[in-house]
Amino acid sequence: CETCSKEEAKYRCPRCMKYSCSLLCVKKHKLALSCNGVRDKTAFISVNEFTDLNLLSDYRFLEDVGRTADAAARHPTMHSPTTKKLLYCLRNKARKCNIDLRTLPVGFTKRRENSTTFNCMEKKFYWHLKLIFPHCHAEYTLKGVPDDKTLADILKPYIDPVESDPVVCQRLRIYIMSPQSDVQILMKIENRKQNSVRYNELDASRSLLDNLKGKIIIEYPTLFVVLKTLKKDMVILGQ
């Protein structure tokens, strides 16, 4: 026993690996070393000492983290009257702007991601927005986009030959090299059958709010930026 040095050790602490002979010595070593007796799941282990048991332990640790994160997302506070009131207010403000804003139940990814807010002082929406560039397999998420900003201004940091970000410019080269007249901004029409998917074409010169009027939005708008010469299966409503 590493505490009393008298009796034969029977127990080993999972955390500090100290040997003890009895419950009394276990309690003494915890007080002396401020040890909680719980195995440290994130303790460093060298490659030479790494075994299948350590691998299994790491895997279970990651599963525990995933369960904890999921439980936090489903916590009762997410269903609190305050949260429900804010969502109701957001949907009501959208309805007054002729936008059918719909929210998903707690636990859905889009519900968790959505950061859309309404500023009562400015009487303005600040949208959570997703831009998808299918020809380059790229997508970007924007937060706090004011509803009076035009779509052309929103896209400038991405496909404008002069104002676009250098890193983004390389990835979206095909869009920047194409004439602006070839660029289309589409938004999927919700609540249609899977075999009848259609898109609305948006006007880049008009504001985000004007483009969203009369449309169904589930959590937040997702805009598809496409090139007329390359889009194949994306059928615009009425075509």
Side-chain angles (χ1 to χ4, degrees):
C1 175
E2 295 184 49
T3 302
C4 66
S5 301
K6 295 178 181 179
E7 302 293 335
E8 182 181 353
K10 298 179 182 178
Y11 313 106
R12 192 177 189 184
C13 179
R15 188 169 188 88
C16 63
M17 311 306 285
K18 296 288 185 183
Y19 287 99
S20 302
C21 65
S22 63
L23 180 60
L24 181 62
C25 285
V26 169
K27 290 182 177 179
K28 283 183 179 180
H29 110 267
K30 285 184 177 180
L31 287 173
L33 302 176
S34 299
C35 177
N36 59 10
V38 179
R39 183 175 64 85
D40 186 3
K41 297 179 181 179
T42 61
F44 173 76
I45 300 174
S46 64
V47 176
N48 296 333
E49 299 174 353
F50 199 83
T51 64
D52 290 343
L53 286 176
N54 298 125
L55 180 63
L56 182 61
S57 174
D58 287 352
Y59 182 76
R60 286 176 175 169
F61 173 70
L62 294 176
E63 283 187 322
D64 289 341
V65 171
R67 279 194 294 269
T68 303
D70 185 61
R74 299 172 185 270
H75 195 271
T77 54
M78 295 295 289
H79 300 272
S80 66
T82 304
T83 304
K84 290 181 179 180
K85 185 177 179 181
L86 289 173
L87 289 177
Y88 175 79
C89 178
L90 200 65
R91 290 193 297 261
N92 191 40
K93 295 295 184 183
R95 193 180 302 114
K96 290 181 179 179
C97 296
N98 193 25
I99 300 173
D100 187 357
L101 178 62
R102 303 180 184 182
T103 54
L104 296 169
V106 173
F108 279 75
T109 303
K110 290 189 76 173
R111 171 89 290 273
R112 188 167 58 251
E113 290 176 343
N114 194 4
S115 61
T116 301
T117 58
F118 182 81
N119 190 311
C120 295
M121 297 293 290
E122 300 178 7
K123 296 182 179 180
K124 184 190 297 184
F125 275 98
Y126 285 88
W127 289 97
H128 183 105
L129 188 65
K130 181 173 285 188
L131 300 177
I132 297 179
F133 299 84
H135 307 311
C136 296
H137 304 288
E139 63 177 60
Y140 301 92
T141 299
L142 288 71
K143 296 182 178 181
V145 181
D147 61 12
D148 57 354
K149 194 171 185 178
T150 64
L151 298 187
D153 288 338
I154 293 173
L155 291 179
K156 273 185 180 180
Y158 299 93
I159 60 173
D160 188 273
V162 179
E163 298 186 29
S164 60
D165 180 89
V167 177
V168 176
C169 178
Q170 289 297 318
R171 188 173 186 184
L172 304 180
R173 182 188 295 271
I174 188 173
Y175 288 90
I176 295 173
M177 298 298 290
S178 301
Q180 292 297 308
S181 58
D182 195 28
V183 177
Q184 275 185 315
I185 306 172
L186 308 179
M187 189 168 72
K188 185 180 177 181
I189 301 173
E190 303 293 349
N191 290 356
R192 288 183 67 93
K193 294 181 179 179
Q194 192 65 32
N195 61 353
S196 180
V197 177
R198 293 292 183 274
Y199 294 82
N200 277 316
E201 183 176 5
L202 307 183
D203 188 345
S205 63
R206 300 180 67 184
S207 69
L208 179 59
L209 180 64
D210 289 339
N211 278 289
L212 296 181
K213 286 181 177 179
K215 298 178 178 65
I216 298 174
I217 308 295
I218 298 180
E219 289 293 345
Y220 55 80
T222 299
L223 308 184
F224 294 84
V225 185
V226 301
L227 299 174
K228 296 178 183 178
T229 53
L230 295 178
K231 74 177 180 67
K232 298 176 182 178
D233 55 346
M234 303 180 77
V235 183
I236 296 174
L237 188 68
Q239 291 184 342

